[in-house]
Amino acid sequence: MNMRNQWPVLPIVAGLASGLLTGCGTESGGSGGSGSSVVMGMSDDVLATDPASGYDPGSWLLFNNVFQSLLSFPKGSTEPQPEAAEECSFTDTRAQVYQCTLKDGLKFSNGDDLTSEDVKFSFDRMLKINDDDGPAIMFPMLDKVETPDEKTVVFRLNTPDATFPSKIASGAGSIVDHTQYDADGLREDGEAVGSGPYQLESFSDDEAVFSVNDNYKGTADVQNTGVTLKFFHGDQSALKRDLLAKKIDIAYRGLSANDIADIEKTGDNSGVEVVEGSSAEVQHLVFNMDDPVAGQLGVRQAIAHLLDRDALIRDVYQGTATPLYSIIPAGISGHNTAFFDTYGARPSKAKAAAALRSDGITDKVKLTLWSTPSRYGPATDALLKAIAGQLNASGLFDADVKSVAFDQYEQDTAAGKYGVYVKGWVPDYPDADNFTAPFFGKGNVLSNNYTNNTITGTLIPQTAAQSDRSATDENFAKLQDIVADELPVLPVWQAKQYAVTRDDVYGLEYCLDASTVFRFWELSKD
């Protein structure tokens, strides 16, 4: 994604259905559960209510609960299953024609029928608008959408893509009512009309209120009578304070590592508990290959030899993340340890100095590490300062850190103004493709002037066309090895996922898995 801002997910298993997909779960109507309404707080903002625009975790949280996709990820699963569709499958052997048949009786929250016309409209509209902050970047392979009848949708792809089912199962596959959205422009009234388990009652700077959608027909079994989402705009202290004061039931995305550690120590006494899961969220240092300093391989290799991930996890993250030695995180099929194998886990000043000498560098390397304070997690500035400290402690670098607001940060990275900067990533869908193609494919999101013809011309196309995802491991290993050698990015950490809940709220464990789908409908409250 344009890069999605970061944070949380759970161990991932490969498995894309290239053949017939049939439902596996209880089909549910829109009647709400018997429990109370749930109030959840997070420090992220929801940047968009229109699925043609939003490409961030907050917005996708809204999309996944208000809109339906043809497919969805059931709790605990990374294999997409039918949601608005009755069945879907590739109808050719090359993974270029994908056909779905809709369920009977689908309706939007306003009572309008949902037909194939709405599905086609949603994809055509997203691609036509092609918003800089939207998910259209995920669908360069989509040539056209056809609707032979009211219940049938046919996607014709210009290149094979076996991950297409997972892409349309994500927030990017949200279906909108064609009578309620402009085909040429974004909706800007803060309202939304979807066919998901919830409808958006109100949306403001401080909160979004969701009620149960009585017209919903799908697999979600709603366990509450509604959800209120309160926005804390990066104020971690206020988020923690309101949780402990019982003003909110759940704190999600935004508590610092110290806050989580404090709550774990005092949870039994404060009536709250920490729910933990592993995650496929990652964070990398990115190197601008055209930069006069970072563009030198010896400089990048020296940084790789000096990075002490274990110390960073201990000192900055209080153990709430794990060291990452690959661009594909652990738990994702295709993961290897290319950076561990190439640079080791222990810092080596001698190897770093040798790498600099190989490029003819004998003086201290003056370097600025660029950060942005909260978009990629509340500890991002502290992380970059700790990395600069490690580099300077070697005596080989004179590194400092500068942090700028995210809007300026995005503009400057796109313009190539930074030599070394930080990027985080929460996957759109749980497949190795989503950790490689967006970073190293044509038109990638890193803005770091890196291209490798073997990756773009052979490895990415071959892995995308392989319907047996386990058969892609060898090519993904080659790709990771190339990246470790050429160092356009340096993986730093892989997150664990946390949310903190009052002890009378249940179901949170079903909201934190590898699909990145936070399922409001699983939450219940005594």
Side-chain angles (χ1 to χ4, degrees):
M1 330 175 160
N2 208 337
M3 282 190 101
R4 286 176 71 186
N5 55 349
Q6 293 353 205
W7 315 3
V9 202
L10 225 96
I12 299 179
V13 198
L16 276 179
S18 59
L20 186 66
L21 289 171
T22 55
C24 74
T26 304
E27 188 157 313
S28 173
S31 57
S34 58
S36 304
S37 177
V38 177
V39 181
M40 186 168 85
M42 67 179 188
S43 66
D44 281 0
D45 293 326
V46 171
L47 301 182
T49 60
D50 188 330
S53 176
Y55 201 29
D56 59 280
S59 298
W60 278 35
L61 184 149
L62 184 151
F63 301 160
N64 286 324
N65 289 282
V66 171
F67 298 95
Q68 274 184 303
S69 299
L70 291 166
L71 309 172
S72 65
F73 294 104
K75 60 186 178 185
S77 174
T78 58
E79 182 173 327
Q81 298 292 331
E83 173 59 26
E86 185 68 37
E87 61 182 22
C88 291
S89 65
F90 282 111
T91 60
D92 67 332
T93 57
R94 288 179 48 80
Q96 283 190 253
V97 182
Y98 195 69
Q99 180 170 313
C100 294
T101 303
L102 295 175
K103 286 184 170 77
D104 291 328
L106 294 172
K107 290 184 180 294
F108 290 101
S109 58
N110 63 357
D112 289 351
D113 291 336
L114 189 163
T115 70
S116 60
E117 180 181 4
D118 298 293
V119 179
K120 174 177 169 58
F121 174 84
S122 300
F123 282 92
D124 289 350
R125 173 179 182 265
M126 173 184 60
L127 294 176
K128 183 176 183 180
I129 293 173
N130 194 24
D131 187 69
D132 288 343
D133 296 319
I137 192 174
M138 290 175 61
F139 295 99
M141 83 301 294
L142 183 53
D143 186 27
K144 59 182 175 180
V145 185
E146 298 171 345
T147 54
D149 56 56
E150 285 193 349
K151 289 184 61 179
T152 305
V153 184
V154 179
F155 299 92
R156 297 195 180 275
L157 313 183
N158 52 39
T159 56
D161 187 0
T163 69
F164 188 74
S166 287
K167 290 173 181 174
I168 65 172
S170 73
S174 297
I175 303 168
V176 302
D177 184 339
H178 78 277
T179 70
Q180 300 295 312
Y181 288 80
D182 185 346
D184 301 310
L186 296 173
R187 186 166 186 160
E188 297 179 353
D189 59 3
E191 297 185 4
V193 179
S195 59
Y198 293 84
Q199 57 187 350
L200 182 63
E201 289 291 334
S202 64
F203 180 81
S204 67
D205 288 341
D206 296 323
E207 69 176 24
V209 179
F210 303 85
S211 64
V212 176
N213 174 17
D214 291 333
N215 289 322
Y216 170 70
K217 184 176 183 180
T219 59
D221 184 11
V222 180
Q223 300 296 310
N224 54 64
T225 57
V227 174
T228 297
L229 183 60
K230 291 190 175 291
F231 308 127
F232 286 78
H233 309 297
D235 191 341
Q236 302 162 48
S237 298
L239 179 61
K240 179 182 178 182
R241 182 177 63 246
D242 280 11
L243 177 71
L244 297 179
K246 301 184 180 181
K247 292 182 179 179
I248 60 175
D249 300 309
I250 299 168
Y252 175 60
R253 296 184 61 81
L255 291 178
S256 70
N258 287 332
D259 286 336
I260 291 168
D262 288 344
I263 290 170
E264 284 186 313
K265 292 176 186 174
T266 61
D268 291 341
N269 299 322
S270 56
V272 298
E273 64 175 316
V274 176
V275 180
E276 176 186 333
S278 59
S279 172
E281 176 197 353
V282 298
Q283 196 160 100
H284 303 319
L285 285 183
V286 181
F287 300 110
N288 182 351
M289 304 297 272
D290 287 351
D291 184 78
V293 178
Q296 298 181 79
L297 179 60
V299 171
R300 303 195 301 276
Q301 288 175 333
I303 295 172
H305 281 301
L306 294 172
L307 189 69
D308 188 343
R309 293 172 178 83
D310 288 332
L312 297 173
I313 299 303
R314 180 189 68 235
D315 299 337
V316 178
Y317 290 96
Q318 309 294 311
T320 59
T322 57
L324 180 62
Y325 293 98
S326 176
I327 53 172
I328 299 173
I332 299 282
S333 181
H335 164 80
N336 73 4
T337 54
F339 283 80
F340 180 93
D341 300 339
T342 306
Y343 304 102
R346 292 181 178 275
S348 172
K349 177 180 175 180
K351 291 179 179 178
L356 292 174
R357 286 196 303 271
S358 70
D359 257 358
I361 301 169
T362 55
D363 295 332
K364 278 189 179 181
V365 178
K366 189 168 179 58
L367 191 68
T368 295
L369 308 180
W370 288 91
S371 181
T372 189
S374 60
R375 183 65 169 234
Y376 302 128
T380 307
D381 284 353
L383 172 71
L384 271 289
K385 289 174 183 176
I387 293 174
Q390 292 179 356
L391 299 180
N392 293 340
S394 71
L396 301 173
F397 283 83
D398 178 10
D400 66 349
V401 176
K402 293 183 180 178
S403 182
V404 297
F406 184 69
D407 287 347
Q408 187 65 46
Y409 185 83
E410 283 284 86
Q411 292 175 25
D412 290 348
T413 53
K417 292 184 178 181
Y418 303 155
V420 185
Y421 49 100
V422 64
K423 285 287 189 181
W425 188 257
V426 175
D428 305 305
Y429 51 94
D431 189 274
D433 177 82
N434 196 229
F435 296 91
T436 52
F439 293 170
F440 312 111
K442 295 176 181 177
N444 71 72
V445 300
L446 292 179
S447 301
N448 68 334
N449 304 298
Y450 174 70
T451 301
N452 179 283
N453 292 332
T454 299
I455 291 176
T456 57
T458 302
L459 297 177
I460 287 178
Q462 286 182 356
T463 54
Q466 178 56 256
S467 58
D468 178 2
R469 301 310 289 163
S470 63
T472 62
D473 288 358
E474 183 177 346
N475 276 340
F476 278 125
K478 291 177 183 176
L479 192 157
Q480 291 168 92
D481 291 343
I482 290 171
V483 172
D485 288 339
E486 298 187 350
L487 270 173
V489 301
L490 181 59
V492 180
W493 57 252
Q494 176 175 348
K496 297 178 184 178
Q497 182 168 212
Y498 293 92
V500 186
T501 180
R502 305 293 314 172
D503 57 13
D504 60 348
V505 177
Y506 306 96
L508 197 59
E509 65 273 19
Y510 301 124
C511 304
L512 309 175
D513 63 31
S515 66
T516 74
V517 176
F518 194 100
R519 302 170 180 85
F520 282 171
W521 58 89
E522 296 290 352
L523 302 173
S524 63
K525 181 182 176 183
D526 287 344

Short mmCIF file of all heavy atoms in Angstrom, two decimals, residues 84-122:
data_model
loop_
_atom_site.label_atom_id
_atom_site.label_comp_id
_atom_site.label_asym_id
_atom_site.label_seq_id
_atom_site.Cartn_x
_atom_site.Cartn_y
_atom_site.Cartn_z
N ALA A 84 -19.90 -12.18 0.54
CA ALA A 84 -21.05 -11.78 -0.30
C ALA A 84 -21.24 -12.78 -1.44
O ALA A 84 -22.32 -12.88 -2.01
CB ALA A 84 -20.83 -10.38 -0.85
N ALA A 85 -20.19 -13.51 -1.76
CA ALA A 85 -20.28 -14.52 -2.83
C ALA A 85 -20.76 -15.85 -2.28
O ALA A 85 -20.50 -16.20 -1.13
CB ALA A 85 -18.91 -14.71 -3.49
N GLU A 86 -21.46 -16.58 -3.12
CA GLU A 86 -21.82 -17.96 -2.82
C GLU A 86 -20.65 -18.88 -3.10
O GLU A 86 -20.36 -19.82 -2.36
CB GLU A 86 -23.03 -18.38 -3.64
CG GLU A 86 -23.58 -19.77 -3.32
CD GLU A 86 -24.20 -19.82 -1.94
OE1 GLU A 86 -24.83 -18.83 -1.54
OE2 GLU A 86 -24.03 -20.85 -1.26
N GLU A 87 -19.96 -18.58 -4.20
CA GLU A 87 -18.76 -19.32 -4.57
C GLU A 87 -17.93 -18.48 -5.53
O GLU A 87 -18.44 -17.61 -6.23
CB GLU A 87 -19.11 -20.66 -5.22
CG GLU A 87 -19.92 -20.54 -6.50
CD GLU A 87 -20.28 -21.90 -7.07
OE1 GLU A 87 -20.27 -22.88 -6.31
OE2 GLU A 87 -20.54 -21.98 -8.28
N CYS A 88 -16.62 -18.75 -5.53
CA CYS A 88 -15.68 -18.09 -6.44
C CYS A 88 -14.63 -19.09 -6.87
O CYS A 88 -14.28 -20.01 -6.12
CB CYS A 88 -14.96 -16.92 -5.76
SG CYS A 88 -15.96 -15.48 -5.35
N SER A 89 -14.09 -18.93 -8.07
CA SER A 89 -13.00 -19.79 -8.52
C SER A 89 -12.33 -19.19 -9.75
O SER A 89 -12.92 -18.37 -10.46
CB SER A 89 -13.52 -21.19 -8.87
OG SER A 89 -14.39 -21.13 -9.98
N PHE A 90 -11.08 -19.59 -9.96
CA PHE A 90 -10.45 -19.34 -11.25
C PHE A 90 -11.06 -20.31 -12.26
O PHE A 90 -11.22 -21.50 -11.96
CB PHE A 90 -8.94 -19.56 -11.18
CG PHE A 90 -8.18 -18.41 -10.54
CD1 PHE A 90 -7.57 -18.57 -9.31
CD2 PHE A 90 -8.09 -17.18 -11.17
CE1 PHE A 90 -6.88 -17.53 -8.71
CE2 PHE A 90 -7.40 -16.14 -10.59
CZ PHE A 90 -6.80 -16.30 -9.34
N THR A 91 -11.40 -19.82 -13.42
CA THR A 91 -12.02 -20.67 -14.44
C THR A 91 -11.04 -21.05 -15.54
O THR A 91 -11.43 -21.69 -16.51
CB THR A 91 -13.23 -19.97 -15.06
OG1 THR A 91 -12.81 -18.74 -15.69
CG2 THR A 91 -14.27 -19.66 -14.00
N ASP A 92 -9.76 -20.65 -15.37
CA ASP A 92 -8.72 -21.01 -16.34
C ASP A 92 -7.54 -21.59 -15.59
O ASP A 92 -7.50 -21.58 -14.36
CB ASP A 92 -8.30 -19.79 -17.17
CG ASP A 92 -7.59 -18.74 -16.32
OD1 ASP A 92 -7.88 -18.66 -15.09
OD2 ASP A 92 -6.75 -18.01 -16.84
N THR A 93 -6.58 -22.10 -16.31
CA THR A 93 -5.41 -22.72 -15.67
C THR A 93 -4.29 -21.72 -15.42
O THR A 93 -3.33 -22.04 -14.74
CB THR A 93 -4.87 -23.86 -16.56
OG1 THR A 93 -4.54 -23.35 -17.85
CG2 THR A 93 -5.91 -24.96 -16.69
N ARG A 94 -4.41 -20.51 -15.95
CA ARG A 94 -3.33 -19.52 -15.82
C ARG A 94 -3.59 -18.49 -14.72
O ARG A 94 -2.82 -17.56 -14.54
CB ARG A 94 -3.14 -18.77 -17.15
CG ARG A 94 -2.51 -19.61 -18.25
CD ARG A 94 -2.37 -18.80 -19.53
NE ARG A 94 -1.79 -17.48 -19.34
CZ ARG A 94 -0.49 -17.25 -19.20
NH1 ARG A 94 0.36 -18.26 -19.22
NH2 ARG A 94 -0.04 -16.02 -19.06
N ALA A 95 -4.67 -18.65 -13.98
CA ALA A 95 -5.03 -17.69 -12.91
C ALA A 95 -5.21 -16.29 -13.47
O ALA A 95 -4.69 -15.31 -12.93
CB ALA A 95 -3.97 -17.70 -11.80
N GLN A 96 -5.99 -16.19 -14.58
CA GLN A 96 -6.25 -14.89 -15.18
C GLN A 96 -7.74 -14.59 -15.34
O GLN A 96 -8.10 -13.47 -15.70
CB GLN A 96 -5.57 -14.78 -16.55
CG GLN A 96 -4.07 -14.53 -16.47
CD GLN A 96 -3.46 -14.19 -17.81
OE1 GLN A 96 -2.75 -15.00 -18.41
NE2 GLN A 96 -3.71 -12.99 -18.30
N VAL A 97 -8.60 -15.55 -15.07
CA VAL A 97 -10.04 -15.32 -15.13
C VAL A 97 -10.64 -15.84 -13.82
O VAL A 97 -10.59 -17.03 -13.52
CB VAL A 97 -10.71 -16.02 -16.32
CG1 VAL A 97 -12.21 -15.71 -16.35
CG2 VAL A 97 -10.05 -15.62 -17.63
N TYR A 98 -11.20 -14.91 -13.04
CA TYR A 98 -11.74 -15.27 -11.72
C TYR A 98 -13.22 -14.92 -11.69
O TYR A 98 -13.61 -13.79 -11.99
CB TYR A 98 -10.99 -14.50 -10.63
CG TYR A 98 -11.21 -15.06 -9.25
CD1 TYR A 98 -10.70 -16.30 -8.88
CD2 TYR A 98 -11.94 -14.34 -8.30
CE1 TYR A 98 -10.89 -16.82 -7.61
CE2 TYR A 98 -12.13 -14.84 -7.02
CZ TYR A 98 -11.60 -16.08 -6.69
OH TYR A 98 -11.80 -16.59 -5.42
N GLN A 99 -14.05 -15.89 -11.34
CA GLN A 99 -15.49 -15.71 -11.42
C GLN A 99 -16.14 -15.96 -10.06
O GLN A 99 -15.79 -16.90 -9.35
CB GLN A 99 -16.10 -16.67 -12.46
CG GLN A 99 -17.61 -16.55 -12.61
CD GLN A 99 -18.13 -17.32 -13.81
OE1 GLN A 99 -17.58 -17.22 -14.91
NE2 GLN A 99 -19.18 -18.10 -13.61
N CYS A 100 -17.09 -15.09 -9.71
CA CYS A 100 -17.83 -15.23 -8.46
C CYS A 100 -19.34 -15.19 -8.74
O CYS A 100 -19.79 -14.45 -9.61
CB CYS A 100 -17.49 -14.10 -7.49
SG CYS A 100 -15.78 -14.13 -6.89
N THR A 101 -20.06 -15.97 -7.97
CA THR A 101 -21.53 -15.95 -7.99
C THR A 101 -22.02 -15.41 -6.65
O THR A 101 -21.62 -15.91 -5.59
CB THR A 101 -22.10 -17.35 -8.21
OG1 THR A 101 -21.57 -17.90 -9.43
CG2 THR A 101 -23.62 -17.31 -8.29
N LEU A 102 -22.86 -14.39 -6.69
CA LEU A 102 -23.33 -13.75 -5.46
C LEU A 102 -24.39 -14.59 -4.74
O LEU A 102 -25.13 -15.36 -5.36
CB LEU A 102 -23.93 -12.38 -5.78
CG LEU A 102 -22.98 -11.31 -6.33
CD1 LEU A 102 -23.75 -10.06 -6.70
CD2 LEU A 102 -21.89 -11.00 -5.32
N LYS A 103 -24.48 -14.41 -3.43
CA LYS A 103 -25.56 -15.00 -2.65
C LYS A 103 -26.90 -14.37 -3.07
O LYS A 103 -26.94 -13.24 -3.58
CB LYS A 103 -25.34 -14.73 -1.16
CG LYS A 103 -24.25 -15.56 -0.50
CD LYS A 103 -24.22 -15.25 1.00
CE LYS A 103 -23.32 -16.23 1.75
NZ LYS A 103 -21.89 -15.91 1.56
N ASP A 104 -27.95 -15.07 -2.80
CA ASP A 104 -29.29 -14.52 -3.02
C ASP A 104 -29.64 -13.53 -1.90
O ASP A 104 -29.22 -13.70 -0.75
CB ASP A 104 -30.34 -15.64 -3.00
CG ASP A 104 -30.23 -16.56 -4.21
OD1 ASP A 104 -29.85 -16.08 -5.29
OD2 ASP A 104 -30.54 -17.76 -4.05
N GLY A 105 -30.42 -12.51 -2.24
CA GLY A 105 -31.03 -11.65 -1.23
C GLY A 105 -30.12 -10.67 -0.55
O GLY A 105 -30.45 -10.16 0.53
N LEU A 106 -28.97 -10.35 -1.13
CA LEU A 106 -28.06 -9.38 -0.52
C LEU A 106 -28.65 -7.98 -0.60
O LEU A 106 -29.19 -7.57 -1.64
CB LEU A 106 -26.70 -9.40 -1.21
CG LEU A 106 -25.87 -10.69 -1.07
CD1 LEU A 106 -24.66 -10.61 -1.98
CD2 LEU A 106 -25.44 -10.91 0.38
N LYS A 107 -28.52 -7.23 0.49
CA LYS A 107 -29.00 -5.85 0.52
C LYS A 107 -28.00 -4.96 1.25
O LYS A 107 -27.28 -5.41 2.15
CB LYS A 107 -30.35 -5.75 1.23
CG LYS A 107 -31.51 -6.37 0.46
CD LYS A 107 -32.82 -6.16 1.19
CE LYS A 107 -33.99 -6.78 0.42
NZ LYS A 107 -34.21 -6.09 -0.88
N PHE A 108 -27.97 -3.70 0.86
CA PHE A 108 -27.20 -2.70 1.58
C PHE A 108 -27.97 -2.25 2.82
O PHE A 108 -29.17 -2.55 2.97
CB PHE A 108 -26.90 -1.50 0.67
CG PHE A 108 -25.91 -1.80 -0.42
CD1 PHE A 108 -26.36 -2.05 -1.72
CD2 PHE A 108 -24.56 -1.86 -0.16
CE1 PHE A 108 -25.46 -2.33 -2.74
CE2 PHE A 108 -23.65 -2.14 -1.16
CZ PHE A 108 -24.09 -2.38 -2.45
N SER A 109 -27.30 -1.52 3.69
CA SER A 109 -27.94 -1.09 4.94
C SER A 109 -29.13 -0.18 4.70
O SER A 109 -30.02 -0.08 5.54
CB SER A 109 -26.91 -0.39 5.83
OG SER A 109 -26.34 0.73 5.17
N ASN A 110 -29.19 0.50 3.53
CA ASN A 110 -30.32 1.38 3.21
C ASN A 110 -31.47 0.63 2.54
O ASN A 110 -32.47 1.24 2.14
CB ASN A 110 -29.86 2.54 2.33
CG ASN A 110 -29.32 2.07 0.98
OD1 ASN A 110 -29.24 0.87 0.70
ND2 ASN A 110 -28.95 3.01 0.13
N GLY A 111 -31.32 -0.69 2.37
CA GLY A 111 -32.37 -1.50 1.77
C GLY A 111 -32.22 -1.77 0.29
O GLY A 111 -32.95 -2.59 -0.28
N ASP A 112 -31.27 -1.10 -0.37
CA ASP A 112 -31.04 -1.34 -1.80
C ASP A 112 -30.49 -2.74 -2.02
O ASP A 112 -29.68 -3.24 -1.23
CB ASP A 112 -30.04 -0.33 -2.37
CG ASP A 112 -30.61 1.08 -2.48
OD1 ASP A 112 -31.83 1.23 -2.27
OD2 ASP A 112 -29.83 2.02 -2.75
N ASP A 113 -30.92 -3.38 -3.12
CA ASP A 113 -30.36 -4.68 -3.48
C ASP A 113 -28.89 -4.55 -3.88
O ASP A 113 -28.49 -3.57 -4.51
CB ASP A 113 -31.14 -5.28 -4.66
CG ASP A 113 -32.55 -5.68 -4.28
OD1 ASP A 113 -32.80 -5.92 -3.08
OD2 ASP A 113 -33.41 -5.74 -5.18
N LEU A 114 -28.11 -5.56 -3.50
CA LEU A 114 -26.71 -5.63 -3.93
C LEU A 114 -26.63 -6.64 -5.07
O LEU A 114 -26.95 -7.81 -4.88
CB LEU A 114 -25.81 -6.04 -2.76
CG LEU A 114 -24.30 -5.97 -2.97
CD1 LEU A 114 -23.57 -6.00 -1.61
CD2 LEU A 114 -23.73 -7.08 -3.85
N THR A 115 -26.19 -6.19 -6.23
CA THR A 115 -26.09 -7.06 -7.40
C THR A 115 -24.68 -6.97 -7.99
O THR A 115 -23.83 -6.20 -7.52
CB THR A 115 -27.11 -6.67 -8.49
OG1 THR A 115 -26.72 -5.40 -9.06
CG2 THR A 115 -28.51 -6.56 -7.91
N SER A 116 -24.45 -7.71 -9.06
CA SER A 116 -23.15 -7.68 -9.72
C SER A 116 -22.81 -6.29 -10.23
O SER A 116 -21.63 -5.93 -10.34
CB SER A 116 -23.13 -8.68 -10.88
OG SER A 116 -24.13 -8.36 -11.83
N GLU A 117 -23.84 -5.48 -10.52
CA GLU A 117 -23.59 -4.11 -10.97
C GLU A 117 -22.83 -3.31 -9.91
O GLU A 117 -21.94 -2.52 -10.23
CB GLU A 117 -24.91 -3.41 -11.30
CG GLU A 117 -24.75 -1.97 -11.77
CD GLU A 117 -26.07 -1.29 -12.08
OE1 GLU A 117 -27.13 -1.91 -11.85
OE2 GLU A 117 -26.05 -0.14 -12.55
N ASP A 118 -23.16 -3.54 -8.64
CA ASP A 118 -22.48 -2.83 -7.55
C ASP A 118 -21.03 -3.29 -7.40
O ASP A 118 -20.14 -2.48 -7.12
CB ASP A 118 -23.23 -3.05 -6.24
CG ASP A 118 -24.64 -2.51 -6.28
OD1 ASP A 118 -24.80 -1.28 -6.37
OD2 ASP A 118 -25.59 -3.32 -6.25
N VAL A 119 -20.80 -4.57 -7.60
CA VAL A 119 -19.43 -5.09 -7.51
C VAL A 119 -18.57 -4.49 -8.61
O VAL A 119 -17.47 -3.98 -8.35
CB VAL A 119 -19.42 -6.63 -7.60
CG1 VAL A 119 -17.98 -7.15 -7.53
CG2 VAL A 119 -20.27 -7.25 -6.50
N LYS A 120 -19.06 -4.53 -9.84
CA LYS A 120 -18.31 -3.95 -10.95
C LYS A 120 -18.08 -2.45 -10.73
O LYS A 120 -16.97 -1.95 -10.93
CB LYS A 120 -19.07 -4.17 -12.27
CG LYS A 120 -18.42 -3.47 -13.49
CD LYS A 120 -19.17 -3.79 -14.78
CE LYS A 120 -18.71 -2.91 -15.93
NZ LYS A 120 -17.26 -3.03 -16.19
N PHE A 121 -19.13 -1.75 -10.31
CA PHE A 121 -19.02 -0.32 -10.05
C PHE A 121 -17.94 -0.03 -9.02
O PHE A 121 -17.14 0.91 -9.17
CB PHE A 121 -20.37 0.22 -9.56
CG PHE A 121 -20.35 1.65 -9.13
CD1 PHE A 121 -20.49 2.68 -10.06
CD2 PHE A 121 -20.20 1.99 -7.78
CE1 PHE A 121 -20.46 4.01 -9.66
CE2 PHE A 121 -20.18 3.31 -7.37
CZ PHE A 121 -20.31 4.32 -8.31
N SER A 122 -17.89 -0.83 -7.96
CA SER A 122 -16.94 -0.59 -6.87
C SER A 122 -15.50 -0.70 -7.35
O SER A 122 -14.65 0.15 -7.03
CB SER A 122 -17.19 -1.58 -5.73
OG SER A 122 -18.49 -1.43 -5.21
#
